[in-house]
Amino acid sequence: MTGPVNAPFMAAIGFPSSQHFIDGTWVAARDGGTLDVLDPATRQVITEVARAGRADVDDAVTAARRAFPAWAATNPSERGALIRRWADLIIAEIEALAAVEAQDVGKPLSGGRTNIYIAHGIIDYFAGAADKLTGVTLPTRSPDYLGYTVPEPYGVCAIVIPWNVPAVLTAANVAPALAAGNTVVLKPSEIAPLAPFALAELARRAGFPPGVINVVAGLGPEAGVALTSHPGVDHISFVGSTATGRAIMAAAAQNLVPVKLELGGKSPNVLFADADLDTAIPAIVTSITENAGQNCYAGSRLLVEASVHDEVVERVAAAMAAVTTGPWEADPDMGPLVSAAQFARVSGFLAQAPREGARLVTGGGTADEGWFVRPAVFDRVETRMRVAREEVFGPVLAVQSFRDTAEATELMNATDFGLLACVWTNDISRALRLAKDVRSGQVAVNQFHDAGVIGFPFNMQKDSGFSRGGGYAALREYTQEKGVAIRLLAR
């Protein structure tokens, strides 16, 4: 095997360019098609990957179907041990993997390293969970009956992920699917497919049987549609936009295939006057600048109690203005946006928000080289504005103020999304009340997201979808329950 061109750090992993991973081997696309993968900081080609078409997807699904019976029958402790060998290889190659993810997505090297640590932790978690999946025994109306349930894998799981945190999303979906006894066909985004391919190579070295893990890259209308509509697929997991999620649900309905969806977000940081501002403000800034705001759970809305509004806006704006940007290897605070399309989308929001009446406090400038955008803060934002309602997926913060807890709750819920809400207050009763009243799958208090909680479920509500990716209950998302009822005959 040879490493991809212009990326010597990727040669350390040893996966080839311009090939898929199907049935345990690296193979070119059937028609020889390839796609360029670009460095977002320079807009230069890093390498090429194979461009999957319907025939390639069919090969991958066929391989997964062929491998499924033996993998499902494998002792779950053995499945777990194999998944743990995979995790061990990942941690041994963390620096090379971090560089792959960082350059491919455009994030700082430290961000790539963090993502690989998270991915390793998820895979290791499900390695330990593989032989802990159990059914239940049920009460009966007389001792002559026995009732119990058995969790069983679905079969072939199609997993489609976006480009923003590919290593983490690969781990969060592939690991529980495998631990439950399913086989997998993974389609990463063609924009940032390199970390999933690197992880597939390490899975091959760990000794997974051929066909258990398959990875094909390609365009959504080609490979994505072919995979999610394939009659050989038994379960679909999709992470991406709400619009595409609706299209995938419609396609899945034709084959009556269950779907789990992890879609968009418009997450608020809700800051009360009694909060510790020295702790809250750096976390709020990081929540919208980490990965250049290209996270579904990014803290893209800041709701501030009116009495501290001016002070908070001034301090947040100063911290945002101090954020350093640059290419991945320089390890700045923030990298570029991932692609020309994403750059155009974010630039459109930056242009429209002032026309709708929002006040630009800081940021918004662009650079000539790479897809860089200065992190922006908009104040005087109203709920009717696009920047308050729609997912920007960039480092753009929309600020609104509130007078009391009731108004804060109303603003928290004034969006079609329901992914994450963060509450900053020293009043525990207020925090618990908001946690109860917000329509969101996840709530964090005096922190951003779920730091320090093992097995925290990545839940969501409303247009954000329905998923428990990477959490304590994720294993059951990849199983179907069989009920067994027995009448005990007299002998």
Side-chain angles (χ1 to χ4, degrees):
M1 291 185 181
T2 59
V5 296
N6 299 328
F9 56 85
M10 290 159 62
I13 307 297
F15 66 98
S17 62
S18 306
Q19 296 188 31
H20 305 301
F21 186 70
I22 297 176
D23 207 15
T25 61
W26 293 97
V27 294
R30 280 184 172 267
D31 64 2
T34 61
L35 293 166
D36 288 340
V37 180
L38 305 182
D39 183 334
T42 64
R43 310 187 192 188
Q44 300 301 307
V45 175
I46 304 171
T47 187
E48 295 178 337
V49 293
R51 178 175 178 167
R54 186 169 295 275
D56 303 291
V57 169
D58 190 62
D59 288 344
V61 173
T62 299
R65 293 211 72 79
R66 186 166 53 243
F68 169 67
W71 180 247
T74 299
N75 181 318
S77 296
E78 293 180 17
R79 289 201 302 264
L82 189 52
I83 295 169
R84 178 153 286 118
R85 283 202 293 276
W86 187 26
D88 291 343
L89 290 174
I90 290 169
I91 207 68
E93 297 285 2
I94 188 165
E95 290 304 316
L97 289 168
V100 170
E101 173 117 337
Q103 185 178 25
D104 201 12
V105 179
K107 63 183 64 180
L109 179 59
S110 56
R113 188 180 297 116
T114 296
N115 288 168
I116 302 304
Y117 272 120
I118 294 171
H120 166 266
I122 292 170
I123 292 171
D124 192 60
Y125 179 89
F126 287 108
D131 59 2
K132 312 301 188 297
L133 184 62
T134 63
V136 298
T137 56
L138 300 168
T140 58
R141 291 182 175 86
S142 83
D144 296 332
Y145 293 89
L146 174 65
Y148 62 93
T149 67
V150 181
E152 296 181 339
Y154 280 103
V156 176
C157 292
I159 298 173
V160 181
I161 62 171
W163 42 261
N164 58 331
V165 282
V168 172
L169 293 173
T170 295
N173 290 281
V174 172
L178 297 179
N182 301 280
T183 55
V184 165
V185 179
L186 170 68
K187 194 203 89 65
S189 168
E190 71 281 1
I191 295 173
L194 300 182
F197 277 128
L199 294 174
E201 169 59 21
L202 295 182
R204 185 192 68 80
R205 295 183 196 176
F208 281 93
V212 171
I213 301 175
N214 306 273
V215 185
V216 292
L219 304 177
E222 298 173 358
V225 169
L227 179 58
T228 55
S229 62
H230 198 289
V233 164
D234 302 295
H235 181 278
I236 298 171
S237 175
F238 172 75
V239 184
S241 72
T242 301
T244 304
R246 289 191 173 101
I248 285 176
M249 282 197 73
Q254 301 304 308
N255 295 325
L256 295 178
V257 174
V259 179
K260 85 179 191 75
L261 300 175
E262 181 183 322
L263 308 175
K266 196 67 181 173
S267 301
N269 278 287
V270 186
L271 187 64
F272 286 86
D274 68 336
D276 181 347
L277 298 186
D278 291 338
T279 299
I281 288 173
I284 289 166
V285 171
T286 300
S287 77
I288 191 60
T289 58
E290 195 277 324
N291 203 25
Q294 298 169 120
N295 294 313
C296 58
Y297 58 81
S300 55
R301 294 190 294 150
L302 174 56
L303 313 180
V304 188
E305 191 165 5
S307 62
V308 292
H309 170 271
D310 292 349
E311 177 188 357
V312 168
V313 170
E314 181 179 353
R315 291 179 61 176
V316 168
M320 292 276 269
V323 168
T324 61
T325 60
W328 68 275
E329 67 271 22
D331 203 22
D333 297 324
M334 192 182 88
L337 299 171
V338 75
S339 66
Q342 193 61 21
F343 182 80
R345 174 179 173 81
V346 174
S347 298
F349 276 95
L350 292 172
Q352 184 173 11
R355 292 198 297 265
E356 290 187 327
R359 180 175 73 93
L360 179 64
V361 181
T362 188
T366 61
D368 293 332
E369 182 179 348
W371 293 300
F372 290 95
V373 173
R374 289 297 308 166
V377 177
F378 284 101
D379 193 15
R380 299 176 187 169
V381 173
E382 298 178 12
T383 301
R384 62 176 175 79
M385 298 178 183
R386 283 188 67 210
V387 74
R389 294 182 292 104
E390 298 183 23
E391 186 176 43
V392 178
F393 229 59
V396 180
L397 182 63
V399 182
Q400 297 176 267
S401 65
F402 61 85
R403 292 170 303 235
D404 52 30
T405 301
E407 187 177 10
T409 303
E410 181 181 353
L411 288 174
M412 289 172 75
N413 289 327
T415 171
D416 293 333
F417 298 106
L419 182 52
L420 170 67
C422 301
V423 179
W424 300 88
T425 180
N426 284 323
D427 186 329
I428 187 63
S429 294
R430 174 191 287 145
L432 291 174
R433 181 171 296 281
L434 265 69
K436 172 179 175 293
D437 292 342
V438 67
R439 292 194 60 198
S440 178
Q442 304 164 57
V443 180
V445 177
N446 292 331
Q447 64 174 336
F448 183 74
H449 206 220
D450 62 342
V453 180
I454 297 171
F456 191 79
F458 204 79
N459 295 337
M460 52 213 68
Q461 297 181 13
K462 301 163 68 176
D463 284 4
S464 290
F466 30 85
S467 170
R468 301 182 186 91
Y472 76 98
L475 202 60
R476 295 199 177 273
E477 286 191 299
Y478 288 98
T479 62
Q480 50 195 336
E481 187 177 62
K482 177 181 288 182
V484 181
I486 300 172
R487 182 182 179 186
L488 305 177
L489 301 177
R491 294 294 185 187

